[in-house]
Amino acid sequence: MTFHEGYREESGTLRRFASTPTSGFVARRLSSVSPTTISPITLTAVRKVAPDRHLIKTATVTVETDDVGLTVQRAIALAKEKGGYVFSLSEQISPTGQHSAMLEIRVPSDAFEETLLAIERLGKIRNKSVRAEDVTEEFLDIQSRLKALRESEKRILKMLSEAEDLDTVFKLENELAVRRSEIERLEGRLRYFQERTTFSSINLTITEFRVVATPPETWAAIKVAADAWRELVKVLRVLATVGIWLAVWSVLWLPILLIAVFASRFAISRLRTVKASETSDSS
């Protein structure tokens, strides 16, 4: 059976959203179950449904509390209580005096969800995310490659014991060194997966809840004068910019303006002349 891992968190519970291929018999049994009887699947339940799966489970949690130091001590005690340990710890105080701490806690995978629930009670949860990575395929691939390499190592050792000339011995020793180097590399990778699947990681950030007091506004004549001067400079800068633009573009708008002025004056004088002639004719 191939299990396709996929989870999302809903209301504090991890629910499976990817399908799991099953045999015909299991499919028929599942089809006969009413949808209302299917309960949410948690990360711990995955081990019971598919105990042969190798899952790397990680969580990131941000907690806000009144006393960071006390919460750190409680988190360390919680990790020990669940059979885990603190992998890393750092604390810092900001320039404003706000205290915060970051911990990476590793607990047995079977106690992962139980530990998360206990961490939620340490303070106010600001952020929480949970992720599970299925490394079963790579885990089994490394095991099969190690088995093949060890068999190859045995054959080379047997050939080496039967070799008679130095050239053959030299070639076999080189091949043996390559095999052992690859075996050591894969064994290290396998130990890493075993450690990460046996112990799950919880990255915990603890921040201090502080009410920042806003200082009352005070009136200061110097500040008002400075603000007024800045605004005046802005206005003068705008006026200067407009003046420069008008001066540069005057080669276009000035002739047009002059022609318009002369044309309007000519039209006015012409209109006056016509009216004067009509008045003289009527008299």
Side-chain angles (χ1 to χ4, degrees):
M1 179 184 70
T2 302
F3 182 85
H4 298 282
E5 174 67 10
Y7 303 92
R8 62 170 174 263
E9 184 179 5
E10 296 179 3
S11 304
T13 302
L14 293 174
R15 299 181 182 271
R16 183 175 62 182
F17 61 87
S19 60
T20 305
T22 58
S23 64
F25 173 74
V26 176
R28 288 194 297 271
R29 290 294 301 273
L30 290 177
S31 64
S32 63
V33 178
S34 172
T36 57
T37 63
I38 299 177
S39 59
I41 294 181
T42 61
L43 291 179
T44 302
V46 171
R47 287 290 186 186
K48 299 178 181 178
V49 175
D52 58 334
R53 307 310 297 176
H54 297 275
L55 304 176
I56 296 178
K57 296 182 286 188
T58 56
T60 302
V61 184
T62 301
V63 176
E64 192 175 66
T65 181
D66 294 331
D67 191 334
V68 173
L70 178 61
T71 306
V72 168
Q73 294 176 8
R74 292 171 61 189
I76 295 173
L78 177 63
K80 293 180 179 178
E81 177 188 341
K82 301 301 180 182
Y85 58 94
V86 176
F87 183 76
S88 64
L89 168 63
S90 64
E91 296 186 50
Q92 61 180 5
I93 299 177
S94 67
T96 59
Q98 189 171 17
H99 189 189
S100 64
M102 290 178 289
L103 303 86
E104 183 177 351
I105 298 172
R106 293 189 177 177
V107 295
S109 296
D110 293 338
F112 179 68
E113 289 181 319
E114 185 182 349
T115 306
L116 276 180
L117 292 175
I119 285 176
E120 291 180 8
R121 294 191 288 269
L122 293 178
K124 187 175 182 179
I125 300 297
R126 287 299 184 183
N127 179 50
K128 176 184 174 183
S129 63
V130 182
R131 180 174 179 269
E133 180 185 0
D134 191 342
V135 295
T136 305
E137 184 176 349
E138 188 172 356
F139 192 92
L140 296 177
D141 178 65
I142 291 175
Q143 286 184 327
S144 62
R145 290 170 63 187
L146 277 173
K147 183 178 178 181
L149 285 169
R150 289 185 178 120
E151 292 295 331
S152 177
E153 180 187 28
K154 290 179 181 179
R155 290 193 298 269
I156 293 175
L157 287 172
K158 182 179 179 181
M159 294 170 61
L160 190 60
S161 65
E162 298 173 353
E164 297 180 355
D165 58 284
L166 291 177
D167 186 51
T168 303
V169 171
F170 180 74
K171 291 180 180 179
L172 290 173
E173 285 181 344
N174 286 338
E175 289 294 328
L176 184 61
V178 172
R179 297 293 188 280
R180 286 178 172 172
S181 176
E182 184 67 10
I183 287 173
E184 290 177 0
R185 187 184 70 82
L186 291 177
E187 284 178 341
R189 186 68 174 165
L190 192 62
R191 283 193 297 270
Y192 168 78
F193 281 138
Q194 288 173 338
E195 165 68 18
R196 293 307 308 275
T197 55
T198 303
F199 285 86
S200 300
S201 297
I202 300 176
N203 297 301
L204 176 61
T205 301
I206 304 172
T207 59
E208 185 178 21
F209 175 77
R210 296 184 64 187
V211 178
V212 180
T214 304
E217 282 192 32
T218 56
W219 186 86
I222 296 177
K223 182 179 182 302
V224 173
D227 293 340
W229 174 256
R230 281 195 297 270
E231 295 300 323
L232 177 61
V233 170
K234 289 180 181 179
V235 173
L236 293 176
R237 189 179 299 166
V238 171
L239 293 176
T241 302
V242 173
I244 293 172
W245 275 80
L246 290 175
V248 172
W249 285 85
S250 63
V251 296
L252 293 179
W253 62 263
L254 188 58
I256 296 174
L257 179 63
L258 292 175
I259 292 173
V261 170
F262 285 121
S264 61
R265 287 183 178 180
F266 176 76
I268 292 171
S269 63
R270 181 67 177 171
L271 183 60
R272 287 176 179 175
T273 303
V274 170
K275 285 184 179 181
S277 62
E278 289 178 352
T279 303
S280 62
D281 290 342
S282 62
S283 61

